[in-house]
């Protein structure tokens, strides 16, 4: 288990939830960082929507992220969480 995030299945959204432990996300910094690994397709003050190949990622300022798509699996969600959290951390978007 990682020391700063948890990945859990979300049956209601048919995807996976990545939750940061006691951390928030700066969406302005996250937008710049995530545009290097995917396409930012929407944003508001509380959520950032990112397209990553066959998956969609909703990033919330609260520190929660939702991964959805036909190819979403526990293994893919774990891999994506590691990649995304690394990108966010490197950009100083994890508060």
């Amino acid at each position: 288990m990682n020391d700063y995030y948890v990945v859990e299945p979300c049956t209601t959204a048919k995807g996976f939830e990545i939750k940061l432990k006691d951390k928030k996300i700066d969406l302005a910094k996250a937008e710049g960082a995530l545009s290097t690994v995917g396409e930012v397709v929407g944003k508001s003050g509380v959520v950032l929507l990112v397209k990553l190949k066959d998956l969609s990622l909703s990033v919330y300022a609260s520190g929660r992220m939702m991964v959805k798509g036909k190819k979403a699996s526990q293994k893919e969600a774990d891999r994506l969480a590691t990649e995304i959290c690394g990108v966010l951390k490197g950009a100083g978007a994890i508060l």
Side-chain angles (χ1 to χ4, degrees), residues 12-31:
T12 56
K14 296 183 181 175
F16 291 88
E17 185 174 22
I18 303 166
K19 296 180 191 176
L20 297 180
K21 297 179 185 175
D22 301 319
K23 302 287 183 189
K24 304 279 187 213
I25 297 173
D26 179 318
L27 293 181
K29 290 180 181 177
E31 181 179 1

Side-chain angles (χ1 to χ4, degrees), residues 9 13 15 17 21 37 41-42 59 62 73 77-78:
E17 185 174 22
K21 297 179 185 175
V37 296
V41 295
V59 181
S62 66
S73 66
D78 286 332

